[in-house]
């Protein structure tokens, strides 16, 4: 069986057993922005279940234009008022430069490398907090997930001033 066929075979069992969630609005009114790293099971790590949160993933879990696009919809259309930005230990974007990543990939892109997790989280939170179109957001937290222990460290929090 090819790896694609394995997915389709697995889906047959899933579709038969799954719970149906009728409402597209995340029940916990939360969105989690995190890295695409295969070692992070976002729902299990944070005690989330189907239908409860938006999960937006990219390399590094950085706040890119596409994350802003998604969060504009999350917050303005789908009721999200809380965002968690979660970076992690041993991330491929930590401790490297844009130049090194351009050489490694052959892609002339901005990769949002991470020099210091706490500083990068504060930078990304500030970026979210300043966007007028994200005004429904009341709270933004910055976490670091440890891929070895599975523990989350709460390193930054922002609350919209009353
Ligand atoms: Zn990563």
């Amino acid at each position: 069986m090819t790896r694609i066929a394995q997915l389709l075979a697995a889906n047959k069992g899933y579709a038969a057993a799954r719970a149906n969630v009728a409402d597209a609005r995340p029940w916990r009114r939360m969105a989690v922005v995190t890295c695409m790293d295969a070692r992070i099971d976002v729902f299990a790590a944070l005690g989330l279940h189907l239908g409860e949160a938006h999960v937006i993933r990219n390399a590094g879990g950085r706040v890119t234009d596409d994350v802003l696009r998604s969060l504009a919809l999350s917050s303005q259309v789908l009721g999200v008022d809380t965002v968690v930005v979660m970076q992690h230990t041993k991330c491929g974007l930590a401790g490297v430069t844009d130049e090194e990543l351009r050489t490694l990939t052959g892609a002339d892109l901005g990769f949002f490398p991470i020099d210091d997790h706490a500083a990068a989280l504060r930078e990304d939170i500030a970026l979210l907090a300043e966007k007028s179109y994200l005004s429904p957001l009341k709270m933004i937290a910055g976490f670091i997930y440890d891929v070895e222990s599975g523990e989350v460290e709460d390193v930054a929090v922002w609350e919209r001033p009353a």
Side-chain angles (χ1 to χ4, degrees):
M1 207 187 302
T2 67
R3 282 170 288 146
I4 299 295
Q6 284 173 344
L7 302 181
L8 296 169
N11 174 256
K12 292 200 190 318
Y14 171 77
R18 86 188 235 284
N20 195 28
V21 178
D23 195 346
R25 292 171 298 176
W27 178 74
R28 291 219 220 173
R29 307 186 70 176
M30 298 188 96
V32 180
V33 178
T34 195
C35 186
M36 65 187 188
D37 194 292
R39 296 168 289 187
I40 306 171
D41 182 343
V42 181
F43 279 78
L46 299 176
L48 295 167
H49 299 93
L50 191 67
E52 293 187 343
H54 285 152
V55 176
I56 304 163
R57 302 186 74 158
N58 63 24
R62 299 304 310 273
V63 174
T64 62
D65 284 348
D66 198 62
V67 168
L68 293 170
R69 179 183 71 92
S70 296
L71 289 176
L73 293 164
S74 289
S75 62
Q76 295 287 354
V77 182
L78 292 161
V80 165
D81 64 8
T82 303
V83 171
V84 171
V85 182
M86 188 167 80
Q87 297 180 7
H88 68 97
T89 60
K90 303 198 177 295
C91 186
L93 285 196
V96 289
T97 64
D98 246 341
E99 201 51 50
E100 288 168 324
L101 292 166
R102 286 185 190 122
T103 302
L104 187 67
T105 60
D108 185 23
L109 299 170
F111 283 90
F112 296 76
I114 299 161
D115 190 30
D116 172 85
H117 284 294
L121 284 167
R122 280 194 291 272
E123 201 177 288
D124 282 357
I125 289 170
L127 190 58
L128 296 175
E130 79 182 17
K131 296 293 180 197
S132 58
Y133 57 80
L134 298 181
S135 61
L137 299 182
K138 303 266 183 290
M139 184 174 284
I140 308 169
F143 291 176
I144 301 171
Y145 176 80
D146 185 321
V147 294
E148 290 166 305
S149 71
E151 288 171 6
V152 159
E153 188 189 351
D154 181 7
V155 297
V157 71
W158 173 89
E159 272 186 86
R160 186 171 301 282

